[in-house]
Amino acid sequence: LANRINIVISKSEFSSNKPDYMYDTIKDFIDNYLSHINTTSTKVFIIGGKQLIEDVIYNYLYMIDKIYYSIIR
Protein backbone atom coordinates (compact mmCIF):
# COMPACT_ATOMS: atom_id res chain seq x y z
CA LEU A 1 0.00 0.00 0.00
CA ALA A 2 1.24 3.47 -0.80
CA ASN A 3 2.77 5.63 1.94
CA ARG A 4 2.79 2.77 4.43
CA ILE A 5 5.38 0.37 5.72
CA ASN A 6 4.25 -3.15 4.91
CA ILE A 7 5.29 -5.89 7.31
CA VAL A 8 4.45 -9.57 6.90
CA ILE A 9 4.49 -12.02 9.80
CA SER A 10 4.63 -15.53 8.42
CA LYS A 11 6.66 -18.70 8.69
CA SER A 12 5.97 -19.36 5.01
CA GLU A 13 7.77 -17.91 2.01
CA PHE A 14 6.17 -14.75 0.71
CA SER A 15 7.01 -14.19 -2.94
CA SER A 16 4.52 -11.72 -4.41
CA ASN A 17 4.83 -8.00 -3.72
CA LYS A 18 7.75 -8.16 -1.34
CA PRO A 19 6.98 -6.44 1.97
CA ASP A 20 9.26 -3.82 3.51
CA TYR A 21 9.95 -6.17 6.45
CA MET A 22 9.22 -9.80 7.16
CA TYR A 23 9.22 -11.64 10.52
CA ASP A 24 8.52 -15.25 11.49
CA THR A 25 6.57 -14.41 14.66
CA ILE A 26 4.81 -11.48 16.31
CA LYS A 27 7.47 -11.66 19.05
CA ASP A 28 10.23 -11.16 16.46
CA PHE A 29 8.31 -8.17 15.09
CA ILE A 30 7.88 -6.60 18.53
CA ASP A 31 11.46 -7.27 19.61
CA ASN A 32 13.11 -6.14 16.38
CA TYR A 33 10.83 -3.51 14.86
CA LEU A 34 8.61 -1.97 17.51
CA SER A 35 11.52 -1.49 19.88
CA HIS A 36 13.10 0.91 17.34
CA ILE A 37 10.16 3.20 16.56
CA ASN A 38 8.08 5.70 18.50
CA THR A 39 5.03 3.57 19.23
CA THR A 40 3.12 6.43 20.85
CA SER A 41 2.82 8.21 17.50
CA THR A 42 2.87 5.24 15.12
CA LYS A 43 -0.25 3.25 14.32
CA VAL A 44 0.26 -0.45 13.76
CA PHE A 45 -2.55 -2.52 12.27
CA ILE A 46 -2.35 -6.29 12.61
CA ILE A 47 -4.36 -8.16 10.03
CA GLY A 48 -4.16 -11.88 10.18
CA GLY A 49 -5.56 -15.27 10.64
CA LYS A 50 -6.76 -16.94 13.80
CA GLN A 51 -3.33 -18.03 15.06
CA LEU A 52 -1.73 -14.59 14.68
CA ILE A 53 -4.67 -12.72 16.22
CA GLU A 54 -4.86 -15.15 19.16
CA ASP A 55 -1.12 -14.76 19.77
CA VAL A 56 -1.44 -10.97 19.81
CA ILE A 57 -4.50 -10.92 22.08
CA TYR A 58 -3.23 -13.55 24.55
CA ASN A 59 0.33 -12.22 24.81
CA TYR A 60 0.28 -8.53 23.92
CA LEU A 61 -3.16 -7.23 24.88
CA TYR A 62 -1.53 -4.63 27.11
CA MET A 63 -0.11 -2.99 23.95
CA ILE A 64 -3.49 -2.68 22.21
CA ASP A 65 -5.66 0.40 22.57
CA LYS A 66 -8.26 -0.35 19.88
CA ILE A 67 -9.58 -3.46 18.14
CA TYR A 68 -11.44 -3.43 14.82
CA TYR A 69 -13.28 -6.74 14.55
CA SER A 70 -14.96 -8.15 11.44
CA ILE A 71 -17.01 -11.29 11.14
CA ILE A 72 -16.74 -13.00 7.77
CA ARG A 73 -19.44 -15.56 7.01
Side-chain angles (χ1 to χ4, degrees):
L1 299 169
N3 301 317
R4 296 183 190 182
I5 296 173
N6 295 296
I7 300 164
V8 171
I9 298 171
S10 177
K11 293 179 183 173
S12 303
E13 279 295 315
F14 192 83
S15 58
S16 62
N17 299 334
K18 292 284 185 190
D20 298 304
Y21 298 93
M22 191 161 179
Y23 297 98
D24 289 336
T25 66
I26 192 72
K27 182 178 182 343
D28 290 342
F29 166 67
I30 290 170
D31 291 347
N32 296 295
Y33 184 78
L34 285 187
S35 63
H36 295 94
I37 63 170
N38 181 354
T39 55
T40 59
S41 63
T42 302
K43 290 182 181 180
V44 175
F45 292 85
I46 298 171
I47 303 165
K50 179 183 178 199
Q51 185 176 358
L52 178 62
I53 298 303
E54 283 179 351
D55 189 16
V56 170
I57 290 172
Y58 292 139
N59 297 302
Y60 303 100
L61 189 59
Y62 66 95
M63 299 176 82
I64 298 171
D65 61 28
K66 196 177 288 185
I67 295 175
Y68 299 94
Y69 186 80
S70 297
I71 297 174
I72 300 172
R73 298 175 194 241

XYZ file of all heavy atoms in Angstrom:
609
model
N 0.833 -1.182 0.000
C 0.000 0.000 0.000
C 0.881 1.250 0.000
O 1.917 1.288 0.656
C -0.907 -0.001 1.228
C -1.884 -1.177 1.325
C -2.537 -1.217 2.691
C -2.921 -1.101 0.246
N 0.455 2.243 -0.682
C 1.240 3.468 -0.802
C 1.352 4.203 0.529
O 0.427 4.209 1.331
C 0.592 4.381 -1.828
N 2.505 4.809 0.754
C 2.768 5.628 1.939
C 2.615 4.868 3.254
O 2.263 5.451 4.277
C 1.869 6.872 1.947
C 2.083 7.718 0.719
O 3.216 7.934 0.306
N 1.014 8.174 0.123
N 2.840 3.589 3.221
C 2.793 2.771 4.434
C 3.963 1.806 4.422
O 4.446 1.420 3.376
C 1.504 1.943 4.497
C 0.268 2.764 4.592
C -0.926 1.874 4.723
N -2.132 2.674 4.585
C -3.340 2.194 4.679
N -3.535 0.923 4.917
N -4.383 2.974 4.534
N 4.375 1.420 5.598
C 5.383 0.370 5.718
C 4.632 -0.940 5.824
O 3.768 -1.101 6.678
C 6.274 0.595 6.953
C 7.057 1.895 6.780
C 7.205 -0.597 7.157
C 7.831 2.299 8.010
N 4.931 -1.870 4.931
C 4.247 -3.150 4.908
C 5.123 -4.223 5.542
O 6.264 -4.421 5.140
C 3.894 -3.535 3.474
C 2.888 -2.577 2.885
O 1.769 -2.501 3.362
N 3.293 -1.828 1.881
N 4.569 -4.874 6.557
C 5.286 -5.890 7.310
C 4.464 -7.172 7.270
O 3.269 -7.156 7.535
C 5.481 -5.443 8.765
C 6.290 -4.144 8.792
C 6.152 -6.533 9.588
C 6.232 -3.408 10.101
N 5.118 -8.270 6.937
C 4.453 -9.574 6.902
C 5.005 -10.423 8.033
O 6.222 -10.490 8.234
C 4.661 -10.271 5.539
C 4.167 -11.701 5.573
C 3.971 -9.483 4.443
N 4.100 -11.073 8.755
C 4.495 -12.022 9.801
C 4.015 -13.383 9.345
O 2.817 -13.643 9.285
C 3.889 -11.634 11.158
C 4.419 -10.257 11.566
C 4.213 -12.698 12.204
C 3.750 -9.654 12.755
N 4.970 -14.227 8.966
C 4.629 -15.535 8.417
C 5.838 -16.448 8.466
O 6.962 -16.001 8.263
C 4.167 -15.386 6.965
O 3.909 -16.650 6.398
N 5.591 -17.711 8.729
C 6.661 -18.697 8.690
C 6.833 -19.262 7.282
O 7.758 -19.986 7.009
C 6.375 -19.818 9.686
C 6.442 -19.326 11.115
C 6.151 -20.411 12.100
C 6.170 -19.805 13.501
N 5.738 -20.719 14.520
N 5.925 -18.893 6.389
C 5.967 -19.362 5.005
C 6.686 -18.347 4.127
O 6.742 -17.160 4.451
C 4.551 -19.561 4.468
O 3.838 -20.456 5.271
N 7.177 -18.820 2.986
C 7.772 -17.908 2.010
C 6.703 -16.972 1.482
O 5.550 -17.356 1.301
C 8.378 -18.698 0.846
C 9.741 -19.265 1.143
C 10.781 -18.188 1.362
O 10.830 -17.217 0.584
O 11.558 -18.332 2.319
N 7.088 -15.759 1.215
C 6.166 -14.748 0.707
C 6.807 -14.173 -0.534
O 7.771 -13.428 -0.448
C 5.949 -13.672 1.781
C 4.813 -12.741 1.485
C 3.521 -13.109 1.805
C 5.038 -11.514 0.903
C 2.460 -12.256 1.554
C 3.991 -10.657 0.643
C 2.702 -11.028 0.971
N 6.310 -14.547 -1.708
C 7.014 -14.193 -2.937
C 6.408 -13.012 -3.704
O 7.114 -12.303 -4.383
C 7.096 -15.406 -3.855
O 5.803 -15.889 -4.145
N 5.109 -12.807 -3.630
C 4.518 -11.725 -4.412
C 4.540 -10.413 -3.630
O 4.321 -10.383 -2.428
C 3.080 -12.075 -4.793
O 2.291 -12.218 -3.639
N 4.799 -9.330 -4.332
C 4.831 -7.997 -3.720
C 5.609 -7.995 -2.414
O 5.047 -7.896 -1.338
C 3.414 -7.467 -3.481
C 2.637 -7.328 -4.763
O 3.223 -7.154 -5.816
N 1.337 -7.403 -4.676
N 6.894 -8.082 -2.516
C 7.754 -8.157 -1.335
C 7.427 -7.057 -0.328
O 7.321 -5.892 -0.683
C 9.226 -8.041 -1.738
C 9.751 -9.215 -2.535
C 9.994 -10.379 -1.638
C 10.636 -11.507 -2.418
N 10.699 -12.713 -1.691
N 7.251 -7.447 0.933
C 6.982 -6.442 1.974
C 8.255 -5.685 2.322
O 9.361 -6.094 1.967
C 6.518 -7.294 3.151
C 7.199 -8.605 2.941
C 7.276 -8.797 1.450
N 8.101 -4.583 3.048
C 9.264 -3.825 3.509
C 10.049 -4.618 4.551
O 11.269 -4.551 4.603
C 8.813 -2.484 4.101
C 8.127 -1.618 3.060
O 8.748 -1.344 2.016
O 6.965 -1.236 3.291
N 9.340 -5.344 5.404
C 9.947 -6.166 6.450
C 9.183 -7.481 6.543
O 7.986 -7.522 6.270
C 9.881 -5.477 7.820
C 10.628 -4.168 7.875
C 9.973 -2.968 7.623
C 11.981 -4.139 8.184
C 10.652 -1.763 7.669
C 12.670 -2.934 8.230
C 11.997 -1.753 7.976
O 12.674 -0.565 8.020
N 9.867 -8.519 6.982
C 9.218 -9.803 7.164
C 9.761 -10.455 8.434
O 10.968 -10.464 8.677
C 9.482 -10.704 5.967
C 8.647 -11.932 5.966
S 8.596 -12.630 4.317
C 7.585 -14.033 4.662
N 8.854 -10.987 9.260
C 9.218 -11.644 10.515
C 8.500 -12.980 10.605
O 7.405 -13.142 10.078
C 8.830 -10.766 11.718
C 9.572 -9.452 11.740
C 8.982 -8.292 11.242
C 10.863 -9.379 12.231
C 9.664 -7.093 11.241
C 11.552 -8.174 12.234
C 10.948 -7.042 11.741
O 11.637 -5.856 11.737
N 9.125 -13.917 11.312
C 8.525 -15.247 11.493
C 7.415 -15.249 12.531
O 6.463 -16.012 12.430
C 9.585 -16.269 11.923
C 10.539 -16.618 10.797
O 10.173 -16.459 9.623
O 11.658 -17.072 11.108
N 7.542 -14.410 13.567
C 6.566 -14.407 14.656
C 6.266 -12.972 15.084
O 7.042 -12.047 14.812
C 7.089 -15.163 15.900
O 8.213 -14.432 16.429
C 7.481 -16.594 15.577
N 5.158 -12.800 15.777
C 4.812 -11.482 16.305
C 5.847 -11.047 17.344
O 6.184 -9.872 17.448
C 3.369 -11.459 16.881
C 2.910 -10.027 17.168
C 3.236 -12.307 18.109
C 2.627 -9.210 15.956
N 6.414 -11.979 18.081
C 7.469 -11.662 19.049
C 8.697 -11.088 18.349
O 9.265 -10.102 18.799
C 7.842 -12.882 19.876
C 8.898 -12.580 20.933
C 9.210 -13.782 21.769
C 10.214 -13.554 22.872
N 11.054 -12.410 22.847
N 9.100 -11.699 17.229
C 10.227 -11.161 16.456
C 9.941 -9.736 15.996
O 10.807 -8.869 16.053
C 10.510 -12.027 15.228
C 11.088 -13.377 15.573
O 11.600 -13.551 16.694
O 11.024 -14.274 14.702
N 8.715 -9.505 15.540
C 8.315 -8.166 15.093
C 8.408 -7.163 16.238
O 8.991 -6.090 16.089
C 6.890 -8.226 14.531
C 6.246 -6.891 14.358
C 6.725 -5.996 13.415
C 5.155 -6.531 15.124
C 6.123 -4.753 13.247
C 4.544 -5.298 14.960
C 5.034 -4.409 14.017
N 7.870 -7.511 17.379
C 7.885 -6.602 18.530
C 9.308 -6.354 19.011
O 9.706 -5.216 19.247
C 6.987 -7.141 19.655
C 5.520 -7.021 19.219
C 7.229 -6.413 20.970
C 4.535 -7.725 20.105
N 10.086 -7.410 19.123
C 11.456 -7.271 19.614
C 12.356 -6.500 18.653
O 13.206 -5.729 19.081
C 12.076 -8.645 19.867
C 11.449 -9.375 21.034
O 10.706 -8.741 21.817
O 11.689 -10.595 21.157
N 12.174 -6.710 17.351
C 13.105 -6.143 16.379
C 12.622 -4.884 15.680
O 13.424 -4.096 15.238
C 13.446 -7.192 15.319
C 14.177 -8.360 15.931
O 15.283 -8.205 16.418
N 13.556 -9.520 15.941
N 11.337 -4.688 15.563
C 10.831 -3.509 14.858
C 10.234 -2.483 15.815
O 10.644 -1.336 15.838
C 9.794 -3.910 13.804
C 9.304 -2.741 12.992
C 10.089 -2.230 11.969
C 8.090 -2.126 13.255
C 9.665 -1.146 11.222
C 7.652 -1.041 12.523
C 8.447 -0.561 11.503
O 8.033 0.524 10.781
N 9.279 -2.920 16.618
C 8.608 -1.973 17.513
C 9.553 -1.343 18.514
O 9.342 -0.211 18.934
C 7.456 -2.651 18.247
C 6.192 -2.917 17.446
C 5.098 -3.433 18.357
C 5.715 -1.676 16.726
N 10.587 -2.044 18.893
C 11.520 -1.491 19.877
C 12.345 -0.340 19.293
O 12.990 0.385 20.036
C 12.442 -2.586 20.404
O 13.230 -3.114 19.358
N 12.293 -0.137 17.967
C 13.095 0.909 17.335
C 12.282 2.083 16.798
O 12.822 2.969 16.155
C 13.903 0.303 16.181
C 14.906 -0.687 16.649
N 14.642 -2.041 16.690
C 16.153 -0.545 17.140
C 15.692 -2.676 17.162
N 16.619 -1.800 17.453
N 10.976 2.093 17.046
C 10.158 3.204 16.562
C 9.416 3.846 17.734
O 9.310 3.268 18.800
C 9.142 2.754 15.484
C 8.130 1.748 16.058
C 9.846 2.189 14.273
C 6.971 1.461 15.137
N 8.872 5.014 17.493
C 8.076 5.703 18.502
C 6.650 5.164 18.435
O 5.851 5.607 17.611
C 8.103 7.211 18.252
C 7.316 7.979 19.292
O 6.656 7.390 20.151
N 7.379 9.287 19.211
N 6.333 4.217 19.293
C 5.028 3.570 19.231
C 3.897 4.452 19.752
O 2.746 4.134 19.537
C 5.029 2.236 20.009
O 5.454 2.478 21.345
C 5.917 1.210 19.344
N 4.202 5.549 20.391
C 3.125 6.433 20.848
C 2.558 7.254 19.704
O 1.442 7.734 19.785
C 3.601 7.371 21.979
O 4.696 8.148 21.501
C 3.997 6.576 23.202
N 3.317 7.432 18.632
C 2.816 8.215 17.503
C 2.697 7.389 16.220
O 2.368 7.929 15.177
C 3.734 9.410 17.250
O 5.019 8.964 16.882
N 2.951 6.108 16.289
C 2.873 5.241 15.124
C 1.726 4.259 15.289
O 1.640 3.568 16.294
C 4.192 4.449 14.955
O 5.270 5.373 14.839
C 4.141 3.565 13.731
N 0.853 4.213 14.290
C -0.245 3.254 14.318
C 0.216 1.965 13.649
O 0.796 1.992 12.570
C -1.458 3.796 13.580
C -2.126 4.934 14.281
C -3.351 5.384 13.512
C -4.005 6.548 14.224
N -5.199 7.003 13.516
N -0.066 0.859 14.304
C 0.256 -0.451 13.757
C -1.042 -1.237 13.668
O -1.757 -1.378 14.659
C 1.268 -1.212 14.647
C 1.497 -2.616 14.131
C 2.579 -0.433 14.740
N -1.359 -1.710 12.484
C -2.549 -2.521 12.269
C -2.114 -3.952 12.025
O -1.273 -4.203 11.161
C -3.346 -2.016 11.063
C -3.966 -0.672 11.279
C -3.254 0.495 11.044
C -5.278 -0.570 11.721
C -3.826 1.732 11.256
C -5.865 0.667 11.936
C -5.140 1.821 11.698
N -2.670 -4.878 12.778
C -2.351 -6.293 12.610
C -3.547 -6.965 11.967
O -4.646 -6.969 12.515
C -2.008 -6.939 13.962
C -0.769 -6.261 14.544
C -1.798 -8.445 13.796
C -0.452 -6.650 15.951
N -3.312 -7.496 10.788
C -4.362 -8.161 10.027
C -3.891 -9.592 9.831
O -2.817 -9.819 9.278
C -4.565 -7.472 8.666
C -4.885 -5.993 8.871
C -5.641 -8.183 7.852
C -4.756 -5.160 7.625
N -4.663 -10.521 10.310
C -4.157 -11.882 10.175
C -5.203 -12.937 10.391
O -6.379 -12.649 10.596
N -4.716 -14.122 10.392
C -5.563 -15.268 10.641
C -5.711 -15.534 12.125
O -5.198 -14.791 12.979
N -6.418 -16.591 12.412
C -6.757 -16.937 13.799
C -5.525 -17.067 14.686
O -5.477 -16.517 15.783
C -7.558 -18.236 13.807
C -7.942 -18.689 15.185
C -8.674 -20.023 15.150
C -8.975 -20.445 16.577
N -9.264 -21.845 16.691
N -4.510 -17.776 14.241
C -3.328 -18.025 15.065
C -2.596 -16.726 15.412
O -2.228 -16.500 16.567
C -2.385 -18.987 14.363
C -1.196 -19.375 15.208
C -0.317 -20.404 14.513
O -0.617 -20.860 13.414
N 0.756 -20.776 15.150
N -2.425 -15.861 14.429
C -1.732 -14.588 14.677
C -2.535 -13.700 15.618
O -1.999 -13.155 16.585
C -1.466 -13.858 13.360
C -0.799 -12.492 13.491
C 0.575 -12.609 14.138
C -0.705 -11.823 12.140
N -3.823 -13.570 15.376
C -4.665 -12.717 16.218
C -4.720 -13.247 17.653
O -4.624 -12.484 18.617
C -6.078 -12.585 15.620
C -6.015 -11.918 14.236
C -7.006 -11.836 16.554
C -5.358 -10.558 14.208
N -4.848 -14.566 17.809
C -4.858 -15.146 19.162
C -3.538 -14.879 19.873
O -3.518 -14.538 21.050
C -5.137 -16.639 19.102
C -6.590 -16.969 18.868
C -6.861 -18.464 18.792
O -5.905 -19.273 18.750
O -8.052 -18.822 18.778
N -2.434 -15.020 19.173
C -1.121 -14.764 19.773
C -1.030 -13.320 20.253
O -0.588 -13.044 21.379
C -0.024 -15.069 18.762
C 1.367 -15.046 19.367
O 1.497 -15.098 20.617
O 2.341 -15.002 18.596
N -1.483 -12.394 19.436
C -1.438 -10.974 19.814
C -2.339 -10.705 21.019
O -1.922 -10.061 21.986
C -1.851 -10.087 18.616
C -2.036 -8.652 19.055
C -0.816 -10.180 17.514
N -3.563 -11.198 20.990
C -4.497 -10.923 22.083
C -4.053 -11.589 23.382
O -4.091 -10.975 24.446
C -5.928 -11.347 21.685
C -6.452 -10.382 20.617
C -6.856 -11.369 22.894
C -7.774 -10.785 20.004
N -3.613 -12.832 23.323
C -3.229 -13.549 24.546
C -1.918 -13.053 25.145
O -1.742 -13.087 26.355
C -3.130 -15.051 24.283
C -4.460 -15.700 23.991
C -4.575 -16.658 23.001
C -5.611 -15.360 24.702
C -5.805 -17.261 22.719
C -6.825 -15.956 24.436
C -6.916 -16.902 23.443
O -8.125 -17.494 23.173
N -1.003 -12.578 24.308
C 0.326 -12.224 24.814
C 0.648 -10.732 24.817
O 1.577 -10.315 25.508
C 1.390 -12.965 24.003
C 1.265 -14.455 24.157
O 1.330 -14.973 25.257
N 1.053 -15.152 23.058
N -0.084 -9.942 24.051
C 0.276 -8.531 23.916
C -0.918 -7.595 24.057
O -0.885 -6.461 23.576
C 0.970 -8.299 22.561
C 2.185 -9.169 22.403
C 2.131 -10.349 21.653
C 3.371 -8.854 23.041
C 3.246 -11.164 21.528
C 4.488 -9.662 22.929
C 4.414 -10.823 22.167
O 5.508 -11.625 22.060
N -1.961 -8.048 24.723
C -3.162 -7.233 24.879
C -2.859 -5.892 25.544
O -3.469 -4.874 25.207
C -4.227 -7.996 25.672
C -5.611 -7.367 25.732
C -6.193 -7.184 24.330
C -6.543 -8.200 26.581
N -1.896 -5.870 26.424
C -1.527 -4.626 27.113
C -1.014 -3.554 26.145
O -0.998 -2.366 26.475
C -0.475 -4.891 28.198
C 0.857 -5.339 27.655
C 1.878 -4.421 27.434
C 1.103 -6.678 27.346
C 3.104 -4.816 26.933
C 2.333 -7.078 26.844
C 3.318 -6.150 26.637
O 4.525 -6.546 26.127
N -0.629 -3.941 24.934
C -0.111 -2.990 23.949
C -1.207 -2.464 23.016
O -0.963 -1.577 22.217
C 0.984 -3.653 23.105
C 2.182 -4.109 23.914
S 3.383 -4.978 22.905
C 4.255 -3.585 22.205
N -2.410 -3.011 23.135
C -3.493 -2.680 22.206
C -4.412 -1.639 22.831
O -4.845 -1.778 23.961
C -4.300 -3.956 21.868
C -3.401 -4.974 21.188
C -5.507 -3.621 21.012
C -4.049 -6.329 21.010
N -4.716 -0.579 22.056
C -5.663 0.403 22.572
C -6.979 0.400 21.787
O -7.948 1.032 22.198
C -5.071 1.811 22.624
C -4.661 2.348 21.270
O -5.242 1.960 20.253
O -3.753 3.171 21.244
N -7.030 -0.302 20.669
C -8.257 -0.347 19.883
C -8.259 -1.627 19.054
O -7.236 -2.020 18.506
C -8.307 0.858 18.949
C -9.659 1.150 18.369
C -9.616 2.409 17.505
C -9.481 3.635 18.400
N -9.543 4.888 17.656
N -9.431 -2.261 18.958
C -9.583 -3.455 18.144
C -10.709 -3.221 17.148
O -11.818 -2.833 17.534
C -9.901 -4.709 18.999
C -8.708 -5.036 19.911
C -10.245 -5.903 18.113
C -8.967 -6.173 20.874
N -10.428 -3.437 15.863
C -11.443 -3.431 14.823
C -11.713 -4.893 14.506
O -10.814 -5.622 14.106
C -10.948 -2.715 13.564
C -10.604 -1.266 13.796
C -9.297 -0.875 14.098
C -11.580 -0.287 13.713
C -8.974 0.441 14.305
C -11.273 1.051 13.914
C -9.959 1.409 14.217
O -9.643 2.715 14.413
N -12.933 -5.329 14.662
C -13.277 -6.741 14.549
C -14.306 -6.953 13.452
O -15.333 -6.270 13.435
C -13.837 -7.211 15.895
C -14.115 -8.673 16.011
C -13.100 -9.560 16.264
C -15.412 -9.163 15.890
C -13.360 -10.915 16.394
C -15.681 -10.491 16.007
C -14.646 -11.379 16.257
O -14.905 -12.705 16.376
N -14.019 -7.827 12.520
C -14.955 -8.149 11.444
C -15.317 -9.615 11.499
O -14.470 -10.448 11.777
C -14.331 -7.866 10.074
O -14.038 -6.502 9.929
N -16.568 -9.907 11.228
C -17.014 -11.292 11.138
C -17.264 -11.590 9.660
O -18.033 -10.893 9.000
C -18.306 -11.527 11.952
C -18.026 -11.269 13.433
C -18.828 -12.931 11.719
C -19.262 -11.323 14.303
N -16.589 -12.597 9.164
C -16.736 -12.999 7.770
C -17.496 -14.310 7.762
O -17.093 -15.287 8.397
C -15.375 -13.151 7.091
C -14.638 -11.809 7.140
C -15.542 -13.630 5.659
C -13.216 -11.867 6.681
N -18.609 -14.345 7.068
C -19.445 -15.557 7.008
C -19.371 -16.191 5.660
O -19.242 -15.653 4.680
C -20.889 -15.226 7.342
C -21.008 -14.704 8.728
C -22.439 -14.269 8.996
N -22.464 -13.486 10.187
C -23.127 -13.801 11.268
N -23.853 -14.884 11.303
N -23.100 -13.044 12.327
